[in-house]
Amino acid sequence: MSTTATAPEAALDDATLAGRARDGDVRAYEQLVLRYQGPMFRLAAKMLADRGEAEDVTQEVFLNAWRRVGQLQDDSAFAGWLYRMTTNRCLNVIRSRQPSADVDPDTTASPRTDTHPEHAAQVNSQLAALTAALQRLTPEQRACWLLREVHGRSYDEIAEIVGTNGTAVRGRIARARAQLAEVMKPWR
């Protein structure tokens, strides 16, 4: 497999790309966007349960990251910095909402396409139930659970992202798991 001469940035690590972006290299930043736009969008979509808001948040986060990349102290911390910005922006959106937020299963697309309609309907029902259950968690619990279970971040990374300590993160995740397990019992 050979790399093309036009896109050598794709093979570089985050720290190198972040350093280059800090120096004004637009191509390096584009590679970081390509690398992280999917995970940031998925995090926002699950936290907000609204595709349009998730798209807006993701775009806003990447625009702000480009504007503020010069403030990044540690180039190797770029991914954690993005997760923190995305999580904080989602929490702000949630706080600014009216007290009742309805979950519309029609706006939450299933990532799976299945040739068996009965199975597809069951999977869609399970995803809708999980989405509704996630919305019943506090925004902080939801953020911690998603960062751990969906995005595979460590407890220490999550603590830094949400601005608390590891003990609080573990407690939030434990409470979220217990609530989700209770709500999802019928689907076992």
Side-chain angles (χ1 to χ4, degrees):
M1 181 169 125
S2 65
T3 57
T4 62
T6 59
E9 291 91 357
L12 299 175
D13 65 3
D14 288 357
T16 303
L17 290 171
R20 288 183 179 183
R22 197 169 13 85
D23 292 337
D25 184 340
V26 175
R27 287 193 127 145
Y29 188 70
E30 287 173 353
Q31 285 302 313
L32 289 167
V33 171
L34 289 172
R35 195 172 286 176
Y36 287 104
Q37 68 185 354
M40 295 308 118
F41 173 75
R42 287 188 296 276
L43 173 61
K46 288 294 184 189
M47 282 192 69
L48 301 170
D50 183 294
R51 185 176 183 84
E53 281 183 332
E55 289 170 352
D56 290 346
V57 163
T58 304
Q59 183 176 20
E60 190 177 317
V61 164
F62 280 106
L63 284 172
N64 285 334
W66 173 246
R67 289 184 191 123
R68 296 175 34 205
V69 73
Q71 300 170 6
L72 185 62
Q73 299 296 318
D74 179 4
D75 293 339
S76 63
F78 183 81
W81 186 57
L82 272 182
Y83 274 105
R84 184 169 38 261
M85 284 195 295
T86 304
T87 301
N88 287 339
R89 185 66 195 116
C90 287
L91 290 171
N92 288 339
V93 168
I94 291 167
R95 288 181 191 118
S96 71
R97 287 180 177 165
Q98 296 298 326
S100 66
D102 293 332
V103 177
D104 184 0
D106 295 333
T107 63
T108 308
S110 172
R112 181 175 176 159
T113 56
D114 204 310
T115 56
H116 303 298
E118 312 82 37
H119 184 69
Q122 182 182 9
V123 169
N124 284 337
S125 294
Q126 289 172 335
L127 285 173
L130 179 59
T131 298
L134 283 171
Q135 296 308 304
R136 289 188 205 125
L137 299 175
T138 68
E140 292 79 13
Q141 287 174 337
R142 188 179 329 138
C144 291
W145 186 86
L146 287 167
L147 287 166
R148 179 68 182 168
E149 301 299 336
V150 177
H151 294 272
R153 308 317 283 185
S154 72
Y155 291 109
D156 291 337
E157 286 176 302
I158 297 168
E160 188 175 324
I161 289 167
V162 300
T164 190
N165 61 48
T167 303
V169 167
R170 289 178 195 280
R172 288 175 184 171
I173 292 172
R175 286 188 295 280
R177 285 176 179 157
Q179 269 186 263
L180 292 173
E182 185 64 31
V183 171
M184 297 305 291
K185 267 185 188 176
W187 298 104
R188 288 187 193 162

